[in-house]
Amino acid sequence: MVLEHPWCQVRQDKIELPNGKIIDDFFVNIKPEVAIILPITHTREVVFVRQYRHAVGDFFIELPAGNFDPSQESAESAAMRELQEETGYIAQQVKKIATLHDKPSKDTNKIHLFLAENIIQTGEKNFDITEDIEVILIPVETVLDKVAQGEISVAGTVAALFLGLKFISD
């Protein structure tokens, strides 16, 4: 380990590639699992969060999401927890959409995608120290246009939308 911090862990490996080439300083980001939820209201609106992302220095429209430790919590419960904490909505039931590898060239984590329909607003939010969130509702039929226009551009959110919108009940 070359960096061990609660917010960031990096491991340096010496590896031999399948072609026999040796790389002495291959750096791997040890990252937690991520749960992303595609929440749909009974009026067919997608619940998004808009928040500032410091690494890029801009605001982004994303689906509710968060990190979790699979030894402490399931992906499904993490998705439901993040929905409530970030938006004040609750899901009584979720459907697994997919599990994806985030960036397997350098990162160790997976992204777990879920769909929740007919969510209920409770208004009870619980932001962590890094979150200053605005909740935004966008009609289902306009979401992909916003992706095409670049208004929604975070990879995990876009993947959840493209994979999850086909599962929405009519």
Side-chain angles (χ1 to χ4, degrees):
M1 294 298 286
V2 293
L3 178 60
E4 182 126 18
H5 185 276
W7 290 95
C8 182
Q9 296 179 348
V10 179
R11 184 181 78 219
Q12 182 178 6
D13 294 344
K14 179 177 181 178
I15 63 170
E16 181 178 350
L17 298 175
N19 64 7
K21 187 174 183 177
I22 303 290
I23 300 176
D24 289 331
D25 57 353
F26 191 88
F27 293 90
V28 176
N29 301 307
I30 311 299
K31 294 175 113 182
E33 301 290 290
V34 176
I36 300 176
I37 190 163
L38 170 54
I40 311 291
T41 66
H42 73 280
T43 57
R44 295 183 51 82
E45 293 175 299
V46 179
V47 179
F48 288 96
V49 295
R50 182 179 181 271
Q51 57 188 327
Y52 179 76
R53 295 302 193 186
H54 179 71
V56 181
D58 205 353
F59 288 85
F60 289 87
I61 297 172
E62 305 172 66
L63 292 172
N67 298 337
F68 72 98
D69 179 349
S71 71
Q72 304 290 317
E73 179 179 30
S74 71
E76 180 178 310
S77 65
M80 293 171 76
R81 176 182 49 76
E82 289 293 336
L83 173 65
Q84 189 275 317
E85 288 177 358
E86 295 183 356
T87 68
Y89 283 85
I90 59 170
Q92 295 179 332
Q93 189 174 17
V94 297
K95 179 179 192 172
K96 180 84 176 234
I97 299 171
T99 297
L100 307 174
H101 289 273
D102 190 10
K103 193 168 80 175
S105 61
K106 293 286 185 180
D107 297 347
T108 60
N109 67 319
K110 296 176 188 170
I111 300 174
H112 304 269
L113 308 176
F114 294 89
L115 169 66
E117 295 185 88
N118 300 312
I119 59 174
I120 300 167
Q121 186 174 21
T122 65
E124 299 174 24
K125 300 174 191 170
N126 185 19
F127 299 147
D128 70 35
I129 194 167
T130 65
E131 296 174 322
D132 183 10
I133 294 173
E134 175 189 1
V135 176
I136 298 174
L137 303 177
I138 300 175
V140 167
E141 57 274 356
T142 66
V143 167
L144 294 182
D145 290 338
K146 293 191 178 298
V147 172
Q149 295 162 2
E151 293 177 52
I152 298 172
S153 62
V154 177
T157 289
V158 172
L161 291 170
F162 274 92
L163 292 169
L165 288 176
K166 72 178 183 175
F167 292 111
I168 295 175
S169 304
D170 291 329

